[in-house]
């Protein structure tokens, strides 16, 4: 029995040693793996830390943004997508002493979407009062105030209020700077697929047909890519005039709802885009991007001048649209369309052409 017990104890000791060796080896493997891979707790902590960093990244940018004192700041606002607002814009909205807004209701709506509290004094600053308001705002700048100027969408001064205060600030020697951001002009130009190395921005096309045609004719020899704004109510007429003046084959793009969910870019020739406007009328404000003239088109346009008959047609349109006497309309049109040598067409010849057209 004692020998049996000794043998059993020996086997138990061997088994215990083997078990310890296996456990130790496994422990070494697990320790190595643990050294290479974070624990669940560490992973959770890392993920949480990453989440906190991403959550505070914008806040850190906003807090670290310098808001210049005694300065006018022209700031761009989103043109459709609120997420395009910059950290600098948010900081300025929160910390500017005065916010001059084209539409105060839209300003507060934007601030609400951004989760921003506008702490400064808000004043209405629009096309009808910017000349009168500018000096008063600049008086505050002289005392050290930060005056932020924003429009409803995009950059102030680009078909929006702001030019008056910039000019007066320059005249008075006061600092004015810019917080850049979204731009419908640049977005449309980028997405059009047309040359971007040289372009000209022409704003909204004239409202009246005769003025619009006259204006477009001055651009027939323009070699740079041309950018226009246009509205829902005039796009059909404007496309008809573009087709008439530039011809059917010039390339262009019609861009609408830029940066929004239903953004749409129509690309093609003027004739194709004109037909698409008829078949599927676009909504909202649009940006039209038109290719510049080819060398042949530019040469042809430069050497051409309006005939007496063309001047007669424009005069009739002007008289009807502005409720003018035909002679007064002829005088205006002839003065606006000098001949190639700089002289003016004979008004009597234009008048006779008008009478011939009315017979």
């Amino acid at each position: 029995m004692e020998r049996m017990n000794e043998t059993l104890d020996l086997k138990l000791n061997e088994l215990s040693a083997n078990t310890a060796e296996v456990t130790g080896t496994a422990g070494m493997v697990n320790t190595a793996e643990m050294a290479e891979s974070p624990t669940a707790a560490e992973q959770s902590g890392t993920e949480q830390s990453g989440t906190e960093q991403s959550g505070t990244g914008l806040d850190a940018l906003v807090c670290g943004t310098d808001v210049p004192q005694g300065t006018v700041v022209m700031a761009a606002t989103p043109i459709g997508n609120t997420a395009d607002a910059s950290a600098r814009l948010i900081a300025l909205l929160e910390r500017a002493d005065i916010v001059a807004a084209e539409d105060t209701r839209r300003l507060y709506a934007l601030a609400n979407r951004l989760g921003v509290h506008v702490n400064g004094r808000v004043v209405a600053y629009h096309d009808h009062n910017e000349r009168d308001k500018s000096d008063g705002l600049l008086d505050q700048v002289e005392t050290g105030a930060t005056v932020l100027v924003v429009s409803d969408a995009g950059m102030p001064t680009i078909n929006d209020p702001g030019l008056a205060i910039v000019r007066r600030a320059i005249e008075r020697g006061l600092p004015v700077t810019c917080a850049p951001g979204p731009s419908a002009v640049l977005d449309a130009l980028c997405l059009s697929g047309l040359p971007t190395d040289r372009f000209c921005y022409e704003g909204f096309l004239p409202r009246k047909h005769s003025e619009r045609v006259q204006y477009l004719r001055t651009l027939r020899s323009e070699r740079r890519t041309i950018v226009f704004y246009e509205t829902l109510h005039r796009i059909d007429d404007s496309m008809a005039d573009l087709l008439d003046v530039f011809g059917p084959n010039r390339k262009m793009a019609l861009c609408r709802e830029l940066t929004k969910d239903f953004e749409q870019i129509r690309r093609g020739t003027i004739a194709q885009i004109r037909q698409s406007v008829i078949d599927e009328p676009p909504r909202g404000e649009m940006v039209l991007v038109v290719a510049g003239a080819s060398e042949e088109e530019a040469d042809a346009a430069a050497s051409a001048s309006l005939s007496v008959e063309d001047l007669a047609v424009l005069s009739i349109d002007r008289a009807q649209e502005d409720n003018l006497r035909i002679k007064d309309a002829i005088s205006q049109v002839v003065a606006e369309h000098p001949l190639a040598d700089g002289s003016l067409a004979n008004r009597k010849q234009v008048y006779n052409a008008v009478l011939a057209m009315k017979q």
Side-chain angles (χ1 to χ4, degrees), residues 58-127:
L58 180 60
D59 291 339
L61 284 173
V62 172
C63 291
T65 297
D66 176 56
V67 175
Q69 299 299 304
T71 304
V72 179
V73 184
M74 316 297 289
T77 56
I79 61 175
N81 191 328
T82 305
D84 290 334
S86 67
R88 191 174 177 195
L89 172 64
I90 293 172
L92 287 163
L93 288 172
E94 288 180 336
R95 288 146 54 190
D97 300 297
I98 302 172
V99 180
E102 182 179 8
D103 186 326
T104 57
R105 294 168 299 180
R106 292 194 180 188
L107 169 68
Y108 284 120
L110 173 63
N112 287 335
R113 292 196 301 273
L114 293 172
V116 172
H117 180 71
V118 180
N119 293 295
R121 179 165 62 93
V122 175
V123 298
Y125 185 79
H126 45 71
D127 287 331

Side-chain angles (χ1 to χ4, degrees), residues 305-345:
S305 58
L306 295 182
S307 66
V308 170
E309 289 71 22
D310 289 335
L311 295 172
V313 171
L314 288 177
S315 298
I316 293 171
D317 289 342
R318 178 71 59 85
Q320 292 174 344
E321 291 176 353
D322 291 350
N323 195 27
L324 298 173
R325 294 189 313 153
I326 190 62
K327 289 186 176 181
D328 294 333
I330 289 172
S331 296
Q332 290 183 10
V333 169
V334 167
E336 292 166 357
H337 295 84
L339 300 177
D341 62 357
S343 63
L344 298 180

Side-chain angles (χ1 to χ4, degrees), residues 57-356:
L58 180 60
D59 291 339
L61 284 173
V62 172
C63 291
T65 297
D66 176 56
V67 175
Q69 299 299 304
T71 304
V72 179
V73 184
M74 316 297 289
T77 56
I79 61 175
N81 191 328
T82 305
D84 290 334
S86 67
R88 191 174 177 195
L89 172 64
I90 293 172
L92 287 163
L93 288 172
E94 288 180 336
R95 288 146 54 190
D97 300 297
I98 302 172
V99 180
E102 182 179 8
D103 186 326
T104 57
R105 294 168 299 180
R106 292 194 180 188
L107 169 68
Y108 284 120
L110 173 63
N112 287 335
R113 292 196 301 273
L114 293 172
V116 172
H117 180 71
V118 180
N119 293 295
R121 179 165 62 93
V122 175
V123 298
Y125 185 79
H126 45 71
D127 287 331
H128 304 294
N129 71 359
E130 65 169 324
R131 292 179 181 274
D132 296 331
K133 291 267 187 174
S134 294
D135 275 311
L137 293 171
L138 293 174
D139 290 342
Q140 298 300 310
V141 171
E142 283 187 322
T143 67
T146 300
V147 173
L148 173 65
V149 180
V150 294
S151 61
D152 293 344
M155 178 60 72
T157 76
I158 309 300
N159 275 106
D160 279 325
L163 181 59
I165 196 169
V166 172
R167 284 180 170 173
R168 286 295 295 143
I170 294 169
E171 290 169 359
R172 293 176 58 168
L174 296 173
V176 56
T177 189
C178 176
S183 165
V185 173
L186 297 182
D187 286 2
L189 188 67
C190 173
L191 296 172
S192 69
L194 297 172
T196 60
D197 54 339
R198 297 178 67 237
F199 69 93
C200 58
Y201 169 60
E202 298 292 327
F204 281 98
L205 284 166
R207 295 172 179 268
K208 296 180 179 179
H209 166 69
S210 62
E211 294 175 359
R212 189 165 54 243
V213 169
Q214 172 193 328
Y215 187 68
L216 289 173
R217 281 176 173 161
T218 67
L219 295 171
R220 280 190 297 190
S221 62
E222 176 57 67
R223 300 293 302 275
R224 297 170 293 180
T225 300
I226 311 168
V227 184
F228 303 104
Y229 279 167
E230 195 47 282
T231 65
L232 160 70
H233 306 293
R234 296 198 298 269
I235 185 60
D236 186 59
D237 291 338
S238 291
M239 284 305 308
D241 292 338
L242 280 169
L243 180 63
D244 178 58
V245 175
F246 291 150
N249 300 321
R250 188 90 68 98
K251 290 184 178 181
M252 71 166 293
L254 185 155
C255 310
R256 55 178 292 270
E257 299 292 284
L258 288 169
T259 77
K260 299 180 183 178
D261 291 339
F262 299 102
E263 178 181 284
Q264 183 187 57
I265 313 297
R266 302 183 187 184
R267 304 177 183 90
T269 64
I270 289 179
Q272 291 170 336
I273 302 302
R274 162 65 172 146
Q275 189 60 47
S276 80
V277 168
I278 295 172
D279 297 338
E280 187 183 351
R283 297 180 179 179
E285 287 192 355
M286 287 148 271
V287 186
L288 307 179
V289 187
V290 181
S294 65
E295 186 174 352
E296 294 77 14
E297 289 172 326
D299 290 341
S303 61
S305 58
L306 295 182
S307 66
V308 170
E309 289 71 22
D310 289 335
L311 295 172
V313 171
L314 288 177
S315 298
I316 293 171
D317 289 342
R318 178 71 59 85
Q320 292 174 344
E321 291 176 353
D322 291 350
N323 195 27
L324 298 173
R325 294 189 313 153
I326 190 62
K327 289 186 176 181
D328 294 333
I330 289 172
S331 296
Q332 290 183 10
V333 169
V334 167
E336 292 166 357
H337 295 84
L339 300 177
D341 62 357
S343 63
L344 298 180
N346 187 297
R347 287 180 292 179
K348 186 174 182 179
Q349 291 178 353
V350 177
Y351 182 75
N352 290 335
V354 168
L355 293 180

